[in-house]
Amino acid sequence: MVTAGDFKNGLTIEFEGNIYQIIEFQHVKPGKGAAFVRCKLKNIKSGGVVEKTFRPTEKFENAHIERKEMQYLYSDGELFYFMDNETFDQIALGPDVIGDSLKFVKENENVTIVSHSGNAFQVEPPISVELLVTECEPGEKGNTAQGATKPCIVETGAQVMVPLFVNEGDTLKIDTRTGEYSSRV
């Protein structure tokens, strides 16, 4: 159990039947009235952010979030299959859990599966990946004063905006958090 007076950034709690992570909090002691804690909470499963105020003595249950590195094996069109690197157990997750988090992940790459009470609810790809460019139009000279970009398709099928000097067959480093081109490898 944790009280609202003991909140820290990054702490996960169970509140109103959901799991929330504390993004930021502030202890407020007004001139009149009792002190309170104002905080921003992020719903871990849906991603929504809400602002709530609590009395410092209110108690909440700690939510234990488990992060496990697993290898992405393949997709059969309906489910996505992952293997535990230590026990070699396999799990299958549906597209509602995956979302578009595997947009830049190739088969046989490691990802982090985030779960609570044995139920996986999120897949975190590696921070950066290296992917081969499969389709790319040739760059055209012209108005390039502002760092012109062009669309290209990488081997996972995702579209990325890249500088004009990138060609088909190049290997790119892509930041999976933003989906943006980082560098050529």
Side-chain angles (χ1 to χ4, degrees), residues 58-157:
E58 286 186 67
K59 293 187 178 194
F60 301 94
E61 194 69 38
N62 268 3
H64 297 286
I65 304 299
E66 183 181 346
R67 285 179 152 68
K68 188 163 198 131
E69 191 166 300
M70 298 183 105
Q71 184 180 23
Y72 170 52
L73 297 175
Y74 64 94
S75 170
D76 65 2
E78 295 177 16
L79 297 173
F80 298 83
Y81 294 88
F82 300 88
M83 179 181 68
D84 188 324
N85 293 332
E86 296 167 7
T87 64
F88 304 109
D89 291 337
Q90 291 186 18
I91 63 166
L93 299 176
D96 55 326
V97 175
I98 303 298
D100 60 347
S101 60
L102 294 181
K103 188 160 89 170
F104 298 111
V105 178
K106 296 186 292 190
E107 292 178 351
N108 301 322
E109 284 194 6
N110 288 336
V111 296
T112 304
I113 305 290
V114 185
S115 61
H116 175 260
S117 300
N119 296 326
F121 60 84
Q122 185 179 4
V123 176
E124 295 175 347
I127 292 174
S128 66
V129 292
E130 294 179 5
L131 296 172
L132 184 72
V133 176
T134 55
E135 290 179 41
C136 194
E137 298 173 6
E140 294 182 19
K141 292 182 180 180
N143 184 8
T144 57
Q146 297 298 319
T149 59
K150 63 182 180 180
C152 81
I153 308 292
V154 292
E155 61 187 300
T156 60

